[in-house]
Amino acid sequence: MAAKNSEIKLSIELDKNNVPEKIKWEAEGGQSSRLADAFNLYLWDSLDKSVYNIEMWTKDMMVDDMNIHFFQSLMQMADAYKRATGNAEMAAKIKEFAYEFGEETKIIEIKK
């Protein structure tokens, strides 16, 4: 049986200075294209034992929104790490850092 392929498409609209103005993405079998203000793509190369990444955000992305984006990304990375490794203790430490980040950037209330 042939392997199934699936595509995720990114389309970046740049201004005259090559700064992103719009980011559109579409996943095969999903809804029509959607807009985003930022994305981080990390790819693991097992031969080089290194990460390749693309990080992009629109020029209209607000700092508070970027803080929320990173907080939520850290939380999701902790969940993914736990699913991938089964290491609940380290995943909890990643989340602990995420909460500290959220408190420092004032996107979540400080624990009392």
Side-chain angles (χ1 to χ4, degrees):
M1 177 168 32
K4 181 181 177 182
N5 290 320
S6 182
E7 289 187 10
I8 298 172
K9 297 178 185 177
L10 290 166
S11 175
I12 315 300
E13 186 177 306
L14 305 172
D15 68 9
K16 65 182 179 184
N17 297 313
N18 291 327
V19 176
E21 287 190 315
K22 287 185 182 176
I23 300 171
K24 294 181 192 174
W25 69 277
E26 182 177 349
E28 200 170 278
Q31 303 174 15
S32 59
S33 65
R34 307 227 3 194
L35 291 175
D37 290 316
F39 76 90
N40 302 329
L41 175 64
Y42 301 103
L43 302 165
W44 175 249
D45 184 324
S46 61
L47 293 176
D48 290 344
K49 300 286 187 212
S50 59
V51 172
Y52 298 98
N53 64 302
I54 302 171
E55 299 162 338
M56 193 170 290
W57 52 91
T58 63
K59 62 184 177 184
D60 295 328
M61 182 80 168
M62 305 300 291
V63 172
D64 285 345
D65 287 343
M66 185 63 82
N67 289 335
I68 294 167
H69 168 67
F70 269 82
F71 172 76
Q72 290 181 2
S73 294
L74 289 165
M75 295 295 283
Q76 290 182 7
M77 287 175 69
D79 291 339
Y81 180 81
K82 182 179 175 183
R83 283 192 311 274
T85 66
N87 189 336
E89 184 178 333
M90 188 56 67
K93 288 181 181 184
I94 296 169
K95 283 191 174 191
E96 183 179 326
F97 170 76
Y99 279 111
E100 289 175 17
F101 174 87
E103 290 172 351
E104 288 289 322
T105 58
K106 299 185 181 11
I107 60 168
I108 61 174
E109 286 188 32
I110 295 175
K111 300 176 200 172
K112 294 182 180 183

